[in-house]
Amino acid sequence: MELLPQSEGTGHELINGELFVIRSLHCRQQQISRKVFAALDAWSDSSGLGEAILAPGIMLLDTDTVIPDGVLIGKQRLG
C-alpha cells in the first residue's frame, strides 16, 4: 500500500490492470445512492427475487476490483 498515491478523500480502483484514483463520494451522490438503494431493497424484499447490497467490495476479475454504490444480486446467484 505504500506505493499507492496517497491523498486525503481519495480511494483506489484497479480496472483492467490500470490503477484509478477516485474521489470519496460527494454528499449529493450519497443521498441519491441511498434513495436508489432503498428502492432496490424494498423491491427485492417484496419480490423475493434477489438481495440489494450497499457498497460491497466486489472482485470482478483477478485484475479488477471496484466498489459500486450498491448492487442487486439475483436470488439464483446469491449462493
Side-chain angles (χ1 to χ4, degrees):
M1 275 306 235
E2 292 98 25
L3 299 177
L4 295 176
Q6 298 297 314
S7 180
E8 187 69 30
T10 63
H12 301 87
E13 290 187 355
L14 187 61
I15 302 173
N16 292 326
E18 186 176 346
L19 179 65
F20 290 87
V21 178
I22 57 169
R23 293 184 339 169
S24 296
L25 294 179
H26 186 272
C27 183
R28 183 69 180 139
Q29 182 180 353
Q30 289 176 337
Q31 292 168 334
I32 293 168
S33 293
R34 179 181 51 82
K35 289 180 180 186
V36 169
F37 175 78
L40 286 174
D41 195 40
W43 177 82
S44 65
D45 284 346
S46 66
S47 71
L49 295 176
E51 185 173 332
I53 301 173
L54 186 63
I58 296 180
M59 179 80 66
L60 298 177
L61 301 170
D62 290 341
T63 59
D64 297 350
T65 305
V66 297
I67 304 173
D69 295 342
V71 296
L72 181 64
I73 301 175
K75 186 177 182 177
Q76 68 278 13
R77 299 197 67 178
L78 280 173

